[in-house]
Amino acid sequence: MIRIISPGPLTAVQDGGRRGCQSQGYRECGAADMYSLEAANAMVGNDDLQAAALEITISGGVMEFTEPVIFAVTGGDFALTLDGERVPAHGPVYAGAGSRLTIGPAASGLRGCLAVYGGIDVPLLLGSRSTDLTCRLGGYRGRALKKGDEIPVGAYAVRGIRDVEKRRAALAGRNLLKVEADRSRLVPSGLGRFFQGERIRVLRAVKGPQEEYFTEGAHRTFERSVYTITLQSDRMGCRLSGPALETVHGCDIISDGIVGGSVQVSSDGQPIIMQADHQTTGGYAKIATVISADLPALAQLRPGDKVGFRFVSPKEAVMTVRELQAGLLSLKEVYR
């Protein structure tokens, strides 16, 4: 069990998401930063890279392990202490029964994933253990974690009964310094652009299903401008503030399907990027879709951060995600 002593601002169980249920009105949910989820599961030795973990926001608070575990925290730059001693993030750590882990505020980034060997063992709902915070479904009682909650850890891994001590011995016998020193394998790199002396993140996107609703000038504005993440952003959508995007005859459409990364444009011409908890359908025209390989970077942006866009071809989008997955499989082999 993982006993929650202090949950932090927002900690919830998430996995790879509730796929294939949008036609029935269910959101996908799942980890906002899927790369961090998969990397953390690879590090602790879970065969399922999308096994359920704890997603933390800003700070993870304090938790106690009631049994020996191997855990890893990925994502933002979080300071970790185990029983008062500093331990590294972005790598597997052994904790004995009764140990307390403190996850301090992130120096950079917004979200993190805490994975444990064996996975988080809450009940499956429609094939997923992820938490739908809006509809109060799945995860741990359909809500964010609270003080006193006791979260079960899975008893089995794909390779057989979970034996934490054997897993600990296997990790101790390997030289992991090289991979842990190579941050590019742990945090995917991406495009950047300098704006007023500051390097900002550039998100790659393919043109959206309603690109004809926008003027040629709007497409140029979208690709060449800098936008700011607003305080109205959450796991459902990331609202941006910047130059308005001009439409041909307005942005209202007959509601159609939404995917993670869809960039809707509201009536005031401002873009909204759909994130993990996005609705199933929407009535605003979509100028673009951020490619899935860049959604983890979006999930780490805070209100006040700036972001730009660059259009890419569908072929480039597919090649990019394949490269990302190849890196994760390589990471999995290192920690196997």
Side-chain angles (χ1 to χ4, degrees):
M1 291 279 189
I2 301 175
R3 181 176 295 120
I4 305 301
I5 308 301
S6 171
L10 176 60
T11 302
V13 178
Q14 298 293 351
D15 61 8
R18 194 161 284 109
R19 305 295 175 85
C21 299
Q22 285 201 112
S23 62
Q24 302 170 57
Y26 292 98
R27 306 165 190 262
E28 286 189 342
C29 301
D33 179 349
M34 197 63 67
Y35 184 91
S36 291
L37 172 73
E38 295 182 333
N41 276 310
M43 290 170 189
V44 298
N46 290 331
D47 281 332
D48 181 2
L49 294 186
Q50 295 190 352
L54 301 184
E55 181 182 83
I56 59 181
T57 306
I58 295 294
S59 170
V62 182
M63 55 194 72
E64 180 180 276
F65 302 111
T66 64
E67 59 185 301
V69 299
I70 292 170
F71 70 89
V73 177
T74 57
D77 185 11
F78 292 92
L80 311 180
T81 59
L82 187 65
D83 295 330
E85 299 290 331
R86 287 292 298 268
V87 292
H90 301 284
V93 178
Y94 171 83
S99 295
R100 286 196 175 191
L101 172 67
T102 300
I103 306 176
S108 62
L110 180 63
R111 297 181 173 94
C113 281
L114 184 150
V116 292
Y117 182 45
I120 300 297
D121 193 22
V122 296
L124 282 168
L125 176 64
L126 297 175
S128 171
R129 293 180 169 86
S130 61
T131 309
D132 186 330
L133 294 166
T134 302
C135 297
R136 298 184 66 83
L137 295 172
Y140 184 82
R141 301 182 180 178
R143 59 167 172 79
L145 302 186
K146 298 179 180 179
K147 178 180 178 179
D149 287 345
E150 293 189 341
I151 314 304
V153 174
Y156 295 88
V158 174
R159 292 189 295 275
I161 296 176
R162 180 173 62 96
D163 189 325
V164 173
E165 296 300 334
K166 287 183 179 179
R167 177 66 184 156
R168 179 190 185 189
L171 287 170
R174 298 185 188 141
N175 181 8
L176 303 176
L177 294 178
K178 182 178 179 181
V179 66
E180 291 176 4
D182 184 1
R183 295 280 296 178
S184 66
R185 299 182 69 175
L186 307 183
V187 181
S189 59
L191 301 180
R193 176 187 304 166
F194 282 93
F195 174 72
Q196 296 179 349
E198 176 187 2
R199 188 180 187 275
I200 65 169
R201 183 74 192 212
V202 173
L203 301 174
R204 290 163 288 191
V206 296
K207 291 194 173 181
Q210 287 89 35
E211 62 175 295
E212 73 278 3
Y213 275 63
F214 302 90
T215 65
E216 290 184 13
H219 287 96
R220 289 194 299 270
T221 298
F222 179 75
E223 192 170 22
R224 298 175 184 178
S225 299
V226 171
Y227 289 88
T228 302
I229 312 294
T230 72
L231 289 170
Q232 288 70 46
S233 300
D234 54 22
R235 277 181 47 89
M236 182 175 178
C238 185
R239 291 181 175 270
L240 307 179
S241 175
L245 300 173
E246 183 183 18
T247 58
V248 178
H249 298 296
C251 59
D252 291 333
I253 61 171
I254 297 174
S255 292
D256 67 355
I258 296 288
V259 298
S262 290
V263 184
Q264 291 185 316
V265 177
S266 59
S267 56
D268 60 2
Q270 299 299 308
I272 308 168
I273 312 174
M274 298 295 100
Q275 298 207 90
D277 288 354
H278 64 83
Q279 69 272 33
T280 59
T281 62
Y284 287 138
K286 297 173 284 292
I287 192 172
T289 304
V290 174
I291 67 173
S292 59
D294 281 358
L295 291 179
L298 174 66
Q300 295 298 343
L301 296 177
R302 300 183 179 192
D305 287 346
K306 293 179 171 55
V307 66
F309 297 92
R310 196 194 84 178
F311 283 122
V312 296
S313 67
K315 181 179 180 180
E316 185 176 345
V318 171
M319 290 176 60
T320 302
V321 77
R322 285 178 177 172
E323 291 171 0
L324 200 64
Q325 288 301 313
L328 283 165
L329 291 176
S330 174
L331 192 67
K332 182 178 179 180
E333 288 302 313
V334 169
Y335 288 98
R336 180 176 289 276

